[in-house]
Amino acid sequence: MSSVRKCSRTGCLQPAVATLTYAYSDSTAVVGPLATASEPHSYDLCEEHALRLTVPKGWEVVRHEGAFAAPDRSDDELTALAEAVREAGRTDRPSPPPEPDSSSGRRGHLRVLPDPIS
């Protein structure tokens, strides 16, 4: 299932439209169109954060010319949500396994031990 990537900035829930990559050897930050795949050393940014990005003194920012394209919303997200709701509402699902017999002294992953005094 494909999903719309979100902005990497803490607390921002906007969809990402740009990718930020640092070229440390050149003291340069590059803000370009959204990469096709999320990379570990790059950051996805929404339009607001991509346009407002500032860098440390002595660094340079290279920005994409023109407007950022909005990400394509996939129908896969809506389909997955509908299927999850449908699955949760099914009445013909198998019932959960019965509770284990309490006389075995077992409850979940814990074991009940007899009192050592008695």
Side-chain angles (χ1 to χ4, degrees), residues 47 64-69:
E47 186 169 14
H64 168 69
E65 293 287 327
F68 293 107

Side-chain angles (χ1 to χ4, degrees), residues 4-18 43-52:
V4 174
R5 295 183 344 229
K6 300 290 183 194
C7 182
S8 297
R9 295 291 300 258
T10 304
C12 184
L13 300 174
Q14 296 299 313
V17 297
Y43 303 91
D44 295 336
L45 298 175
C46 65
E47 186 169 14
E48 178 184 356
H49 288 123
L51 295 174
R52 290 184 17 195

Side-chain angles (χ1 to χ4, degrees), residues 8-33:
S8 297
R9 295 291 300 258
T10 304
C12 184
L13 300 174
Q14 296 299 313
V17 297
T19 297
L20 166 64
T21 307
Y22 291 108
Y24 293 100
S25 61
D26 298 327
S27 299
T28 304
V30 180
V31 180

Side-chain angles (χ1 to χ4, degrees), residues 37-118:
S38 182
E39 296 291 330
H41 299 291
S42 61
Y43 303 91
D44 295 336
L45 298 175
C46 65
E47 186 169 14
E48 178 184 356
H49 288 123
L51 295 174
R52 290 184 17 195
L53 177 79
T54 59
V55 294
K57 189 175 185 175
W59 280 58
E60 183 182 355
V61 178
V62 176
R63 293 186 198 272
H64 168 69
E65 293 287 327
F68 293 107
D72 292 333
R73 262 214 186 269
S74 172
D75 290 338
D76 291 347
E77 290 179 41
L78 185 56
T79 303
L81 178 61
E83 288 175 4
V85 170
R86 188 177 309 118
E87 182 67 25
R90 280 183 44 196
T91 57
D92 62 337
R93 289 189 306 187
S95 60
E99 289 290 321
D101 184 16
S102 62
S103 63
S104 70
R106 217 154 140 86
R107 295 188 180 178
H109 66 282
L110 302 175
R111 180 173 298 265
V112 178
L113 298 175
D115 187 5
I117 297 172
S118 56

